[in-house]
Amino acid sequence: MLSIIEQIKQGQLWDFHGGIHPPENKTISTQNTIQQAGVPSELILPLKQHIGGKGDILVTVGEHVLKGQPLTQGNIAMCVPIHAPTSGIVTAIEPRTVAHPSGLTDLCIVIESDNKDQWIEGRNPISDFSTQDPIDLIERIRQSGISGMGGAGFPTSRKLQSGIGKADILIINAAECEPYITADDRLMQDYAEEVVTGIKILQHILTPKLAVIGIEDNKPEAIKALNKVITDHDNIVIRVIPTKYPSGGSRQLVKILTGKEVPASGRSTDIGVIVQNVGTIFAVKRAICDAEPLIERVVTLTGNSLDIPGNFWVRLGTTVDHLMTLAGYKADKKHPRIIMGGSLMGFTLPHKQIPITKITNCIITPDRKELPLYNHEMACIRCSSCADACPAALLPQQLYWYAKSEEFDKCEEYHLSDCIECGACAYVCPSEIPLVQYYRQAKSEIYARKQDAQAADRAKVRFEEKNARMERDKAERENKFKLAAENRRKEMKTEVTSGSGNDAITAAIARVKAQKAAEESGVASPKPAVAAAIAHAKAKQAEAAKANTAEPDNSEMAKLREERKQQARERKANLAAENNNSEANSIGSEETVDTANKKDAVAAAIARAKARKATQAGKDNKSNETVTTTAVENDETTESADPKKAAVTAAIARAKARKAAQADKDSKSNETVTTTAVESDETTESEDPKKVAVAAAIARAKARKAAQAEKETESDQPVTETTVENDETSEPTDPKKAAVAAAIARAKARKAAQQIEKNKEE
């Protein structure tokens, strides 16, 4: 069985599904050779004229540029630069309407020509490309800004790079199947030798087994011109194919020439075939051999509304308005139209200020008779003509329904992405449904949704990675802190065990142990300062013991004890001074009046009333008198049965109360002593009011004796002296103690009175 290459050399051809035969209308523009369109006064250069990303702008507004100077740059394979088509001044970098069916704007560089058309210096033409490295040639092609000029705009350098070592067959697309367009036909007629040179350059880069030029049979002049320059040893064959639309499509041409099907989701390089357009081949030759970047291309100007139709060399960025003026455009009075592209795949321009780009190959200006206007869309009659004409073997009718109802999942299921938008289905549709417009809209929506989904996926991945990174950082911090804590514990344990640790650490451990022991034993722990000093001393003692010292260093303990003794001495001295002041005030001033003395008088009266009440309450007066006398003599513990002594004691108490009231009025110092005594004595409770009264009487007598009250009344003097003499046998005559005892007695009397009142209420 013959190989594919042998079958091609023998002239075998294949066919593809569907296709149509519309009127060609090519003879309008093929009568004359390619002419120069000249340099317009203003050039508008969109930054994006190819498939891929935009380059970085290298110029600024007001800068003077030269012909062939790069205006943008890109360091990725899918980005090719644009160059200045002529010399001039950059007047603006702003959005302008670009050549696209949407009619939207894009960023453009505007150059005002200086009419000098001066080339940039430093160009380096290659006279013998066969001696050059293919990689260097590909880079030269990329830097020259060459992209596919057949309509797709795929970067040529990227396609060549992907085909190195894979492409067995190089196909030159010279079919130019769409009506009206004759740019490639005229280029092959006028520049056949340069086209063949470009083919040889690609052969040197790709090293294919065979190069095939596929050309339709409606271009006999171009076929003759190519045959003249192709020799037998060039390994280039020309294959003339039947005229059929869209045989110029990449997938369809591969099928016609090789019989192979390009995978739906792949490229022709996947089956060992690479396809390049004739215009691209010519641009490669100019870039390598002439060092000219892609700054102009051949554009077909045709239509019944032009006086001078034909093909022109047009600088990129030239506006359609300039070309229409050059070709003598006369707009239709009722329905003026300017179409960019062919009659089937082209689109109507919104105005004439649209610039020519790298993928612009034709401008059509039809009148009403030439291309009838679009009529109103009618309902589909399910005739299946669209399916019969589809060159991609799709189901246009089903795709139309799904695209119209926005069932985009179904559109993808029915392989909408394989549609080449050739327009054959719309051309044969009897209902005049603009099917391609529905397909383009659906493709745009699917693309947008995929971009959103990819963005969401990327955001999700970033979010998950961020969380994972935060978890890792948290775990690392925790492990770091844990390790540091373990190291500190080990160091402390080692230091405590060896005794060579820091004194502060040893003291802290000692304090904690002391506090714990105090809590367990119920004994109040010492103050932190004292505990710290003790722990510090103990630590030093331990260190001294470890060092085998003769005697431990007790200087800290001795210092601490000395401080505590000094504090005790100061407190004792202060208390003695206060007591001396109180004694002096109680002796030297007897006429000072104070509210506390009044309370003492009241307490004495209460004591007398309680004594009388106690006497009346008992049925035996003698027993009561005995109790009273006994209380006076024995100080609350000894009982006596002598009623006379009880009477004498009561009289003495009354006299002493009066005297104490007068003496307390003259002393303010007694208030301090009394207050202190009352506060200290409030914790002691007396349950027997009789004993309280007797204690009050004894206290008053002692106070009277201590003050040496020698001016008593004559009636009371014998009794008082007798009482004092009796008291001297059991109590000392210290005046300080007597004052304190009197204050305590008064406090007890008040407390006993309060208790009696409470008992009455209950």
Side-chain angles (χ1 to χ4, degrees):
M1 182 178 180
L2 296 176
S3 64
I4 297 297
I5 294 177
E6 292 175 346
Q7 294 180 42
I8 293 173
K9 288 181 178 180
Q10 291 182 359
Q12 184 173 349
L13 297 174
W14 289 263
D15 196 8
F16 63 90
H17 178 272
I20 58 177
H21 297 83
E24 297 179 4
N25 296 323
K26 291 181 178 288
T27 57
I28 302 175
S29 58
T30 56
Q31 303 301 321
N32 300 319
T33 60
I34 302 175
Q35 305 175 49
Q36 289 290 337
V39 180
S41 60
E42 183 180 74
L43 297 170
I44 303 172
L45 298 164
L47 300 186
K48 183 176 173 63
Q49 302 184 27
H50 58 278
I51 295 176
K54 300 177 182 177
D56 299 327
I57 300 175
L58 299 178
V59 296
T60 58
V61 177
E63 181 178 348
H64 184 269
V65 295
L66 299 176
K67 183 179 180 181
Q69 178 179 337
L71 303 179
T72 63
Q73 68 175 0
N75 297 323
I76 58 176
M78 292 298 292
C79 178
V80 295
I82 59 174
H83 300 76
T86 188
S87 58
I89 303 296
V90 177
T91 59
I93 301 176
E94 60 187 13
R96 296 286 185 95
T97 307
V98 297
H100 193 271
S102 64
L104 298 177
T105 61
D106 199 359
L107 192 62
C108 301
I109 297 176
V110 182
I111 299 177
E112 182 179 353
S113 175
D114 59 3
N115 298 321
K116 295 181 180 180
D117 205 28
Q118 182 181 357
W119 272 100
I120 188 174
E121 297 180 358
R123 293 191 298 158
N124 184 23
I126 299 176
S127 58
D128 187 5
F129 60 85
S130 62
T131 61
Q132 300 295 318
D133 185 14
I135 300 301
D136 294 337
L137 295 178
I138 291 176
E139 181 62 19
R140 169 72 74 91
I141 291 171
R142 189 183 75 84
Q143 294 296 341
S144 299
I146 300 174
S147 61
M149 301 175 67
F154 194 88
T156 303
S157 59
R158 183 71 180 89
K159 183 181 287 188
L160 294 177
Q161 190 174 11
S162 64
I164 294 178
K166 296 180 180 179
D168 294 331
I169 302 174
L170 171 63
I171 295 178
I172 291 83
N173 187 352
E176 201 172 41
C177 60
E178 190 162 4
Y180 287 95
I181 304 175
T182 60
D184 292 345
D185 183 8
R186 196 71 248 184
L187 183 64
M188 288 184 288
Q189 293 183 41
D190 297 346
Y191 300 91
E193 186 174 353
E194 294 188 54
V195 170
V196 172
T197 302
I199 296 173
K200 292 178 181 179
I201 293 173
L202 296 186
Q203 285 179 314
H204 174 69
I205 295 173
L206 299 173
T207 64
K209 296 179 181 179
L210 181 65
V212 182
I213 301 176
I215 185 171
E216 286 188 337
D217 55 9
N218 59 356
K219 302 176 181 60
E221 299 298 328
I223 296 172
K224 291 180 182 179
L226 291 174
N227 283 325
K228 290 181 180 180
V229 296
I230 294 176
T231 60
D232 295 338
H233 62 274
D234 290 335
N235 198 23
I236 300 173
V237 297
I238 299 175
R239 286 294 170 261
V240 180
I241 61 177
T243 300
K244 181 181 180 182
Y245 181 84
S247 60
S250 175
R251 295 173 182 268
Q252 286 69 38
L253 186 60
V254 170
K255 180 62 182 297
I256 292 173
L257 297 177
T258 65
K260 294 182 178 182
E261 293 280 355
V262 178
S265 58
R267 301 185 182 278
S268 59
T269 52
D270 297 336
I271 58 174
V273 178
I274 189 169
V275 182
Q276 291 290 351
N277 180 262
V278 171
T280 306
I281 297 291
F282 182 84
V284 168
K285 184 268 174 185
R286 287 284 180 94
I288 301 298
C289 299
D290 303 320
E292 293 182 10
L294 182 56
I295 58 175
E296 63 180 357
R297 66 155 300 149
V298 179
V299 178
T300 300
L301 303 181
T302 184
N304 293 339
S305 298
L306 294 180
D307 292 338
I308 311 174
N311 291 278
F312 296 84
W313 282 110
V314 180
R315 303 286 177 95
L316 301 182
T318 302
T319 61
V320 174
D321 185 27
H322 175 81
L323 296 179
M324 294 298 96
T325 302
L326 178 66
Y329 171 64
K330 294 180 180 179
D332 188 85
K333 294 182 180 180
K334 292 186 178 180
H335 301 289
R337 283 185 298 168
I338 299 177
I339 300 173
M340 180 173 285
S343 59
L344 294 174
M345 297 185 67
F347 54 91
T348 302
L349 299 177
H351 52 78
K352 294 189 292 184
Q353 297 301 320
I354 306 297
I356 299 298
T357 63
K358 297 176 183 180
I359 60 175
T360 304
N361 55 6
C362 182
I363 301 293
I364 305 175
T365 58
D367 57 16
R368 287 173 292 171
K369 297 180 180 179
E370 188 175 5
L371 289 177
L373 291 174
Y374 165 73
N375 296 327
H376 292 289
E377 177 182 343
M378 294 177 285
C380 176
I381 61 175
R382 301 179 183 273
C383 64
S384 73
S385 297
C386 55
D388 294 338
C390 180
L394 301 177
L395 297 175
Q397 177 185 342
Q398 294 299 116
L399 292 173
Y400 160 69
W401 288 113
Y402 294 141
K404 189 174 183 180
S405 60
E406 297 185 355
E407 296 183 43
F408 301 119
D409 293 338
K410 285 290 185 180
C411 290
E412 293 186 89
E413 183 180 345
Y414 278 78
H415 305 288
L416 177 63
S417 59
D418 291 344
C419 175
I420 62 175
E421 302 178 17
C422 63
C425 55
Y427 180 81
V428 300
C429 180
S431 298
E432 299 185 3
I433 301 174
L435 298 173
V436 177
Q437 295 183 20
Y438 286 103
Y439 302 155
R440 287 175 177 170
Q441 178 64 27
K443 283 182 177 181
S444 300
E445 186 64 26
I446 292 171
Y447 176 78
R449 292 190 178 188
K450 285 183 177 180
Q451 292 296 111
D452 293 342
Q454 291 176 1
D457 292 340
R458 288 193 295 268
K460 182 179 179 181
V461 170
R462 289 196 301 269
F463 178 75
E464 292 176 350
E465 290 179 351
K466 178 183 177 182
N467 287 343
R469 185 173 63 255
M470 293 176 67
E471 291 295 333
R472 289 195 303 270
D473 294 343
K474 182 179 179 181
E476 290 177 359
R477 287 195 301 270
E478 292 178 352
N479 293 333
K480 182 179 179 181
F481 296 153
K482 184 177 180 181
L483 181 61
E486 291 178 355
N487 293 335
R488 286 195 299 270
R489 284 194 291 269
K490 290 179 181 179
E491 292 175 359
M492 292 172 64
K493 184 175 180 181
T494 303
E495 292 173 356
V496 171
T497 303
S498 62
S500 61
N502 193 354
D503 292 342
I505 297 175
T506 306
I509 294 173
R511 286 197 299 272
V512 173
K513 289 182 178 180
Q515 290 177 0
K516 187 175 181 181
E519 291 176 358
E520 292 177 355
S521 62
V523 181
S525 60
K527 294 182 179 179
V530 177
I534 294 171
H536 189 63
K538 288 182 178 180
K540 286 193 172 182
Q541 289 177 2
E543 290 181 0
K546 290 290 182 179
N548 296 323
T549 56
E551 293 181 358
D553 185 6
N554 294 328
S555 59
E556 294 292 338
M557 293 294 293
K559 184 178 179 180
L560 177 62
R561 286 197 297 270
E562 188 65 28
E563 291 178 355
R564 294 172 65 183
K565 288 180 180 179
Q566 183 65 26
Q567 292 175 0
R569 292 193 195 98
E570 292 177 357
R571 287 196 299 270
K572 188 174 181 180
N574 293 334
L575 182 59
E578 291 177 359
N579 291 336
N580 291 333
N581 293 334
S582 300
E583 180 182 359
N585 292 333
S586 63
I587 294 172
S589 49
E590 294 181 352
E591 296 181 4
T592 303
V593 180
D594 191 81
T595 57
N597 297 331
K598 293 179 182 180
K599 293 181 179 180
D600 293 340
V602 174
I606 293 172
R608 290 193 298 274
K610 288 180 178 179
R612 288 194 297 272
K613 187 176 181 180
T615 303
Q616 294 175 1
K619 293 181 180 182
D620 192 354
N621 293 332
K622 292 181 180 182
S623 60
N624 291 338
E625 291 173 357
T626 301
V627 173
T628 305
T629 304
T630 303
V632 173
E633 291 177 352
N634 299 324
D635 193 12
E636 301 180 0
T637 58
T638 306
E639 295 182 357
S640 178
D642 191 353
K644 293 180 180 181
K645 290 182 179 181
V648 172
T649 303
I652 291 171
R654 288 193 295 274
K656 288 182 177 181
R658 288 195 297 271
K659 187 65 176 179
Q662 293 175 359
D664 291 338
K665 291 179 180 179
D666 300 330
S667 178
K668 290 184 178 180
S669 62
N670 289 340
E671 180 181 356
T672 304
V673 177
T674 302
T675 305
T676 306
V678 171
E679 291 176 354
S680 63
D681 194 66
E682 283 179 352
T683 58
T684 306
E685 296 182 358
S686 177
E687 298 178 356
D688 192 352
K690 294 180 181 180
K691 291 182 179 181
V692 173
V694 172
I698 294 170
R700 286 193 293 274
K702 290 179 179 180
R704 182 74 171 273
K705 181 65 177 177
Q708 296 180 358
E710 297 177 355
K711 295 180 182 182
E712 295 180 350
T713 61
E714 294 179 359
S715 58
D716 291 339
Q717 185 174 1
V719 179
T720 304
E721 292 176 356
T722 303
T723 305
V724 171
E725 291 177 357
N726 293 332
D727 291 337
E728 287 178 351
T729 60
S730 60
E731 297 290 338
T733 59
D734 187 355
K736 296 180 180 179
K737 292 183 178 180
V740 174
I744 293 172
R746 287 193 297 274
K748 289 182 177 180
R750 287 195 297 272
K751 189 170 184 181
Q754 293 176 0
Q755 184 66 27
I756 292 170
E757 294 296 330
K758 185 176 181 181
N759 293 336
K760 287 180 180 181
E761 292 176 359
E762 292 178 354

